[in-house]
Amino acid sequence: MSELSRRDLLRTSAATGVGAIVVSGLTAADTPDGVDTSVPEEVAVGYPSRSPECPPATLTGHIVRPGDASYAQERLGWDQLFSHYPLVIVFARETQDVVNALTWARQHDVALRVRSGRHALEGWSNIDNGIVIDVSRLKSVRIDSGGHTATIGAGLTQLEAVTTLAEQNLAVTTGSEGSVSVCGATLGGGLGPLNRWIGMACDSLVAAEVVVPSGHDCAEVINVDSQHHSDLLWALRGAGNGNFGIVTRLTYEVHSLARLAAVQATWDGTGDLYEIFEAWQRTVPSADSRLGSELEIHKSQILLSAWLVEGTTAQAEEMLAPILSVGKPDVTVQVGNWGDIFAGAQTPLPQEPANWKFFSQFVEQPFPREAIDIIGDFMRNAPTEQSNYFVDAFGGAIRKEPSGGTAFAHRDALFYGEIGAGWGTRSTRPGVDDPLTSQAQAWTAEFSQALRPYVDGAYVNVPNVGMQGWEIAYWGSERFERLRRIKAKYDPGNVFRYEQSIPPASR
């Protein structure tokens, strides 16, 4: 039976390479009209555009510019619906490269974006005619077994983090997609298979190394924890995606995890949708907190994934019995090391659709039949089989904030919901009009509007473009005002800004 899980389609196993991929150099046809990829003379020679208060900065690390053989590939993000042409891409090899790049950008008044796993779902980790500071090569892991912590470089993917920690029978919360940056996921909150057991990924974040603006046009490294810059630690736990500085290293509280039981069930068609969804939303969010689960609805099938920490096959199937008893699902169960199970679920990047459009939601009350019927109606008319409606169970440890609190605002949700449309074939020349693009975007917009009476809030890691009041949807009014004050303290000049970035509070 073919499984068409969007989460499976997103999972990639070849995410550990750090070398540049050599492809054909840019030609005139590769660059769209109106985008200037030339490097100004004063920038090219490193001459600052104004008198700095610190020495003129030089870009260090691995530098990629227009015309370089690898530029066509290195400018691409995971979601090829968006296509940008940066002035320069800096792949940092150490923290000082990030300091130099941020200082250089400030001294030359060059707009910047921060990138790691390239999964910014609206293309906001890239920019035309600006500098992209890429931390994906900052790959390091230091485990302190006595202190129950792990310090990792910001370039680690979720696959790398999960498998490395699992070798020591340790774990933190991550999402299901291996190629996503564990740093980026954490800084927006971080939900996934283990969140009901140990909370959101940001709940385990206890310290970070961050490069922030300093003075008139410089940059500096600060170390953040509960005793130093505790306000920034609070902000990084759920609102840190490119808003306050560039995170280069993260320290997590880690949890012992020797084995895990994974259950996957697939139903053909959507005829049993109401009974399956009703059983799922009434069972998992209130179950033993060791049980995590996701449910996905597609055009022609429904997929349940569940994970029971330190559990047996019999225990997992007993907890899921109200769901598995519906219809005739094809069920498989695996018990073993979390790293092995996670790695085995990944799918190579070339098999994923090139283009994606998402809409995020949180749900605080069980969906009535009318809402579930809306899901069924839209999924039967989805633009592609890869498109889906995805839910992740909340409850359990998510309801309790860690010491010091977090910017994440949706702890009372019953589950997280996400509409996703996927289409198109991957290429080194994205941005060409796809006949399905308008259809997929319209379907996503209409679907989200139809569910509006039953949902509340949104997830900053899956931003809703064009939403009125996105600030409140992501964080709530009180948290947002606190975030603005923290922004004014650490980035008063609003160096880190993008379409939905946090603006500094007025002084």
Side-chain angles (χ1 to χ4, degrees):
M1 178 180 297
S2 173
E3 294 177 353
L4 296 166
S5 160
R6 196 275 291 179
R7 293 283 156 175
D8 284 344
L9 284 166
L10 295 184
R11 296 165 190 163
T12 61
S13 57
T16 57
V18 297
I21 301 172
V22 178
V23 297
S24 300
L26 280 176
T27 66
D30 293 314
T31 306
D33 293 340
V35 176
D36 180 11
T37 59
S38 63
V39 181
E41 183 178 356
E42 67 273 17
V43 174
V45 299
Y47 182 82
S49 59
R50 63 182 180 220
S51 299
E53 66 176 32
C54 55
T58 301
L59 294 179
T60 57
H62 177 63
I63 313 301
V64 177
R65 297 181 185 272
D68 290 346
S70 61
Y71 180 83
Q73 181 67 39
E74 301 295 13
R75 73 179 185 85
L76 297 180
W78 169 80
D79 191 341
Q80 294 192 352
L81 183 61
F82 309 98
S83 183
H84 295 285
Y85 291 81
L87 177 74
V88 60
I89 306 169
V90 174
F91 288 90
R93 293 191 175 108
E94 59 185 15
T95 299
Q96 187 58 47
D97 297 334
V98 177
V99 175
N100 294 343
L102 178 54
T103 304
W104 184 92
R106 299 191 70 200
Q107 290 179 352
H108 294 91
D109 290 318
V110 175
L112 66 90
R113 296 292 170 87
V114 185
R115 188 178 76 176
S116 180
R118 308 195 193 191
H119 278 258
L121 297 181
E122 290 296 330
W124 294 339
S125 64
N126 206 340
I127 189 170
D128 291 322
N129 298 320
I131 181 173
V132 172
I133 303 175
D134 189 299
V135 298
S136 64
R137 300 185 184 184
L138 300 181
K139 296 182 184 292
S140 62
V141 179
R142 186 178 72 250
I143 298 174
D144 180 356
S145 55
H148 303 288
T149 63
T151 300
I152 70 172
L156 249 64
T157 64
Q158 294 185 142
L159 174 62
E160 293 165 341
V162 168
T163 55
T164 301
L165 291 175
E167 291 174 357
Q168 306 296 321
N169 289 332
L170 299 171
V172 296
T173 297
T174 71
S176 302
E177 304 84 11
S179 61
V180 171
S181 160
V182 70
C183 175
T186 298
L187 297 180
L191 56 85
L194 306 181
N195 55 8
R196 299 190 68 254
W197 174 50
I198 52 178
M200 304 292 287
C202 68
D203 295 349
S204 296
L205 182 66
V206 296
E209 178 184 82
V210 189
V211 179
V212 297
S214 174
H216 179 61
D217 53 8
C218 301
E220 65 176 332
V221 180
I222 61 173
N223 292 296
V224 175
D225 57 30
S226 61
Q227 302 300 315
H228 308 88
H229 308 289
S230 59
D231 55 347
L232 183 54
L233 176 62
W234 177 88
L236 294 178
R237 290 170 164 177
N241 308 64
N243 272 305
F244 307 96
I246 304 172
V247 175
T248 51
R249 196 155 32 232
L250 308 94
T251 299
Y252 296 88
E253 177 187 3
V254 292
H255 304 264
S256 298
L257 176 56
R259 70 173 188 173
L260 180 148
V263 179
Q264 189 168 83
T266 307
W267 289 262
D268 287 332
T270 58
D272 294 320
L273 174 59
Y274 173 74
E275 290 79 9
I276 294 168
F277 200 104
E278 173 70 1
W280 182 88
Q281 69 177 346
R282 301 286 181 181
T283 299
V284 181
S286 58
D288 187 317
S289 62
R290 294 177 300 143
L291 181 70
S293 179
E294 300 168 352
L295 187 69
E296 297 177 50
I297 300 95
H298 295 264
K299 285 172 70 79
S300 61
Q301 69 175 25
I302 300 171
L303 174 67
L304 167 76
S305 298
W307 304 268
L308 180 62
V309 172
E310 302 294 355
T312 65
T313 297
Q315 290 173 325
E317 292 181 327
E318 181 180 359
M319 291 181 185
L320 297 167
I323 312 166
L324 299 179
S325 63
V326 178
K328 297 180 179 180
D330 180 14
V331 181
T332 60
V333 182
Q334 179 182 4
V335 178
N337 177 272
W338 175 223
D340 295 336
I341 292 173
F342 188 92
Q346 307 305 308
T347 299
L349 180 66
Q351 296 182 21
E352 302 176 7
N355 311 307
W356 286 91
K357 188 66 177 177
F358 299 98
F359 195 93
S360 63
Q361 309 165 326
F362 286 95
V363 180
E364 296 185 353
Q365 299 294 328
F367 273 169
R369 176 146 203 158
E370 311 90 81
I372 299 172
D373 287 345
I374 288 171
I375 296 169
D377 290 342
F378 273 91
M379 289 316 309
R380 282 186 285 274
N381 293 286
T384 63
E385 184 60 50
Q386 292 90 341
S387 304
N388 74 101
Y389 185 71
F390 162 85
V391 290
D392 180 273
F394 270 38
I398 297 174
R399 294 191 179 275
K400 183 179 179 181
E401 278 200 331
S403 176
T406 71
F408 182 75
H410 303 286
R411 297 188 180 277
D412 293 334
L414 187 69
F415 57 84
Y416 166 73
E418 182 182 290
I419 299 165
W423 71 100
T425 303
R426 293 191 169 271
S427 167
T428 57
R429 293 185 59 189
V432 178
D433 288 338
D434 187 296
L436 278 178
T437 297
S438 59
Q439 178 186 345
Q441 291 177 325
W443 177 82
T444 304
E446 292 167 6
F447 196 169
S448 62
Q449 184 65 25
L451 283 179
R452 187 174 180 180
Y454 311 100
V455 303
D456 183 40
Y459 185 34
V460 69
N461 276 352
V462 184
N464 294 344
V465 176
M467 169 182 276
Q468 295 295 316
W470 53 266
E471 310 93 330
I472 309 305
Y474 298 149
W475 300 293
S477 57
E478 184 176 339
R479 279 182 171 85
F480 181 64
E481 290 306 315
R482 183 177 177 183
L483 289 167
R484 291 193 64 195
R485 294 192 296 271
I486 296 171
K487 173 77 167 183
K489 178 179 177 181
Y490 291 96
D491 182 22
N494 204 20
V495 174
F496 295 97
R497 59 183 181 272
Y498 53 92
E499 285 80 349
Q500 287 187 351
S501 59
I502 296 169
S506 302
R507 293 186 179 275

